[in-house]
Amino acid sequence: MRGDIFARKKMNAFVFLGVLILVTLVAIVMTEYNVAKGFTSIPKAVHWGFSNFYPNGESFRKLPDIMMKLKETVLVSIAATSAGAVFALVFAIFGAHTTRFNAVLGGISRGIATVFRNIDVAAWALILLFSFGQNVMTGYFALFFGSFGYLTRAFIETIDEVSGGSVEALRATGAGYFHIVFQSVIPSSIPQMISWILFMIETNIRQATLVGILTGTGIGFAFNLYYKSMNYHTASLVVVAIVIAILFIEYISNYVRRAIL
Amino acid sequence: MKTLLELRQVSKHYGQETAALSDVSFNVKEGEFVSIIGPSGAGKSTLLRCINRIVDASGGEIFFNDENVLKLDKAQLKRVRRTIGMIFQHYNLVNRLSVIENVLHGRLGYKSTLAGMLGLYSEEEKQQAVKMLNILGLQEHTYRRADQLSGGQKQRVGIARALVQKPKMLLCDEPIASLDPNAAKTIMDYLKTISATMGITVLVNLHQVDVALRYSDRIIGVNKGKVVYDGSPKEMSSSMIHKIYGSEAGELIFDHGGQNAG
Ligand SMILES: Nc1ncnc2c1ncn2[C@@H]1O[C@H](COP(=O)(O)OP(=O)(O)OP(=O)(O)O)[C@@H](O)[C@H]1O
Ligand SMILES: [Mg+2]
């Protein structure tokens, strides 16, 4: 019996690998993708990048403008993430095994979060374009929905992982539902939750750039504008600014993580 | 002495097949120190959890302090739970909170929703918590974070949390299973003292037969969800231990700690 499990696992791995190779081959044939050409074009792309895609003196005159757009994007990302986190906390408490009222409500809560999580932020942006148009609100809500779905899932796992024992202990003392949530579940899971929120902010700044291209706002719009007008030097400065911003946020969040854990 | 706890033909099934408890009946008197022993999977943890309804029994009746526990509504159940302290193998503290906050959690059953949520305790409650920490020799750890304590210290915090409930009874689910022999002895001594000086009934699940024999007024042996022994430790015989644990395991236990069993 026991040998069976390992044999079956090995079998599964082989089948998975086979299917993967098959899918790749089918995809290559169907899209008429030329593998050799794909690889040989990489050096060309690199060459182009080095000869055109770098900031020059001229482009730095646009820096204040870029910084303003960048600030807007960062702030929208943070705002959307925080709002998403508040809703995610409520849904996670309803959806987590240890804190749910009952299985039905828990299932509904998880279901809603799953829907939001599985629609990509870019897809949300396109959907919301219809209701809000090319507007900051579109980007904000797209990021908000994405963060909400993702964080709900992360928070549910945090709650179930972190607070099992003490929840049982408090229940045994005669504590009520809200006592347990506020005295045990939240204190136990807060460091991990903050860690998830920081991670989400980082992700959202990256996503916001893409969403900005779609919605014509923020740093993504700036990039798109310079790129389309073939001002590659300024466009590359935008990229550098985004990278620096992300590194900076990452540095801050690592610092915060160390401080709270 | 008055009977504090009475179980009548209590049974518990998990799902369709697993019968964790079947027809469990026994009484516990006020102030008694009772140990429940039995092999792994016998249903000891399930039994303790049915008493304060952390697990809902499938059948039978449980009377605690003349109330039918299985018939209580939500509010009544909370009122009964706060008079029953519970102690766990893995301590089940909120690790990120301070020792004193963990102890004060024992008061939550007495608090309004808002006061409990916000952790607003009265001066008297705080003094009560400090007093319990003193009794358990934890005064210098009062404001430390719970996860900085050793296992034995954590378990004493667990006991303090149970004691500020002003309980009539303590349910202890393998309180010493994760501790070294010295810490284990300290914990068992505290439980015994508490039982003797405060008149609190103690019901404790144990894996160590010798410890059970040394500390208990009475032993309940459980095997496969059934009570197979209910009597004083003095009358516990080697053949009885074999019966509770199954013969091979019984051999092993008897070699080590069976001397007291005579
Ligand atoms: N939540 C659960 N769902 C399904 N079955 C369970 C559950 N909890 C316990 N059981 C089963 O009920 C039986 C009794 O378990 P219980 O934990 O009460 O035993 P125990 O005597 O405390 O064992 P141990 O000494 O190992 O702690 C076991 O067969 C166990 O598999
Ligand atoms: Mg157990």
Side-chain angles (χ1 to χ4, degrees):
Chain A
M1 271 315 277
R2 220 160 261 171
D4 268 352
I5 291 178
F6 292 117
R8 205 168 339 124
K9 277 203 172 159
K10 227 179 255 172
M11 196 59 204
N12 285 345
F14 275 121
V15 170
F16 179 73
L17 207 66
V19 169
L20 197 68
I21 291 170
L22 196 74
V23 169
T24 311
L25 287 178
V26 169
I28 287 173
V29 172
M30 275 176 62
T31 57
E32 294 170 8
Y33 172 70
N34 186 332
V35 180
K37 204 175 151 207
F39 277 105
T40 49
S41 61
I42 291 176
K44 249 195 276 173
V46 172
H47 182 255
W48 181 87
F50 274 108
S51 45
N52 295 298
F53 207 69
Y54 59 87
N56 61 7
E58 178 77 14
S59 63
F60 273 94
R61 280 202 287 158
K62 300 278 188 215
L63 193 59
D65 197 35
I66 293 174
M67 291 313 283
M68 223 181 69
K69 292 284 189 206
L70 186 63
K71 198 179 86 187
E72 182 187 321
T73 300
V74 170
L75 290 182
V76 165
S77 305
I78 292 174
T81 314
S82 331
V86 172
F87 282 83
L89 180 61
V90 175
F91 274 72
I93 288 171
F94 274 98
H97 206 81
T98 20
T99 52
R100 66 186 187 191
F101 277 115
N102 57 49
V104 178
L105 270 176
I108 292 172
S109 172
R110 276 168 193 259
I112 293 172
T114 306
V115 170
F116 276 86
R117 186 163 45 93
N118 284 317
I119 299 176
D120 190 71
V121 172
W124 273 122
L126 290 175
I127 297 166
L128 292 166
L129 271 177
F130 289 112
S131 17
F132 294 105
Q134 291 213 319
N135 188 317
V136 176
M137 287 318 267
T138 311
Y140 173 80
F141 277 108
L143 292 175
F144 167 69
F145 288 154
S147 318
F148 162 70
Y150 190 91
L151 287 177
T152 305
R153 177 60 195 269
F155 286 1
I156 284 177
E157 270 169 26
T158 302
I159 290 174
D160 279 334
E161 184 185 325
V162 139
S163 46
S166 58
V167 166
E168 186 186 29
L170 290 208
R171 192 170 293 146
T173 67
Y177 178 83
F178 289 101
H179 294 162
I180 293 171
V181 168
F182 278 81
Q183 288 294 320
S184 160
V185 174
I186 290 180
S188 306
S189 22
I190 237 164
Q192 274 202 46
M193 284 182 177
I194 289 178
S195 195
W196 278 116
I197 292 171
L198 293 172
F199 169 78
M200 204 67 228
I201 289 176
E202 285 168 32
T203 314
N204 273 347
I205 290 174
R206 255 166 260 161
Q207 297 266 27
T209 312
L210 179 70
V211 171
I213 295 176
L214 296 172
T215 61
T217 50
I219 195 78
F221 175 68
F223 176 80
N224 204 25
L225 189 73
Y226 297 126
Y227 188 82
K228 290 239 172 92
S229 58
M230 290 191 281
N231 187 349
Y232 296 125
H233 295 298
T234 315
S236 71
L237 184 64
V238 173
V239 172
V240 172
I242 294 170
V243 169
I244 291 175
I246 288 175
L247 288 179
F248 182 64
I249 296 279
E250 218 170 79
Y251 173 79
I252 294 178
S253 56
N254 278 338
Y255 177 80
V256 173
R257 262 186 210 123
R258 262 200 308 277
I260 54 170
L261 283 179
Chain B
M1 269 296 201
K2 179 177 168 269
T3 298
L4 182 67
L5 175 72
E6 182 178 0
L7 278 76
R8 288 186 201 156
Q9 275 145 11
V10 174
S11 64
K12 171 68 190 173
H13 311 272
Y14 288 110
Q16 294 291 331
E17 296 121 59
T18 352
L21 297 175
S22 39
D23 279 345
V24 171
S25 306
F26 61 83
N27 296 332
V28 178
K29 290 199 193 66
E30 238 167 37
E32 235 183 336
F33 195 109
V34 180
S35 292
I36 301 171
I37 59 172
S40 200
K44 305 182 296 295
S45 301
T46 305
L47 176 54
L48 282 197
R49 281 169 176 70
C50 282
I51 293 171
N52 60 1
R53 278 184 50 187
I54 297 293
V55 165
D56 271 310
S58 317
E61 287 175 310
I62 298 173
F63 289 90
F64 177 76
N65 208 19
D66 299 325
E67 282 187 283
N68 190 340
V69 177
L70 301 183
K71 293 257 158 65
L72 300 176
D73 67 27
K74 234 173 139 187
Q76 293 168 319
L77 178 61
K78 275 187 199 166
R79 185 171 45 68
V80 169
R81 274 181 181 167
R82 69 190 188 195
T83 60
I84 303 177
M86 193 159 195
I87 288 154
F88 305 85
Q89 176 180 351
H90 299 295
Y91 329 119
N92 294 10
L93 305 177
V94 182
N95 280 325
R96 295 187 48 80
L97 296 183
S98 64
V99 166
I100 183 95
E101 284 170 294
N102 270 289
V103 175
L104 283 165
H105 281 167
R107 297 302 301 170
L108 286 175
Y110 294 89
K111 309 233 54 121
S112 73
T113 302
L114 197 65
M117 267 166 63
L118 301 176
L120 304 174
Y121 302 98
S122 72
E123 203 50 44
E124 194 197 334
E125 286 172 320
K126 286 178 199 161
Q127 267 159 23
Q128 181 74 9
V130 169
K131 190 179 134 204
M132 289 309 162
L133 286 172
N134 282 335
I135 292 177
L136 289 152
L138 288 167
Q139 52 277 18
E140 69 262 43
H141 303 299
T142 307
Y143 298 107
R144 277 176 81 184
R145 250 173 65 162
D147 54 6
Q148 294 172 351
L149 303 183
S150 73
Q153 291 166 337
K154 281 183 190 168
Q155 192 58 292
R156 282 186 270 155
V157 176
I159 296 174
R161 175 175 64 191
L163 288 181
V164 297
Q165 287 177 238
K166 303 221 173 85
K168 285 192 176 333
M169 177 169 74
L170 293 182
L171 302 173
C172 315
D173 192 10
E174 296 183 22
I176 58 170
S178 311
L179 301 176
D180 72 56
N182 281 327
K185 183 173 184 310
T186 312
I187 295 296
M188 288 309 296
D189 287 342
Y190 273 121
L191 290 177
K192 188 75 187 169
T193 315
I194 285 161
S195 168
T197 60
M198 303 183 187
I200 295 173
T201 309
V202 175
L203 201 55
V204 51
N205 282 350
L206 283 173
H207 264 308
Q208 299 84 342
V209 179
D210 53 331
V211 175
L213 293 174
R214 193 168 331 126
Y215 283 90
S216 317
D217 301 325
R218 193 146 64 89
I219 307 262
I220 293 175
V222 182
N223 186 310
K224 298 209 179 84
K226 290 197 173 66
V227 173
V228 293
Y229 180 84
D230 181 354
S232 90
K234 289 193 200 75
E235 286 148 29
M236 176 68 81
S237 64
S238 66
S239 63
M240 202 59 231
I241 290 177
H242 283 228
K243 190 172 167 199
I244 296 170
Y245 281 92
S247 52
E248 281 160 46
E251 210 68 66
L252 207 67
I253 291 160
F254 200 62
D255 285 347
H256 285 292
Q259 298 95 311
N260 325 38

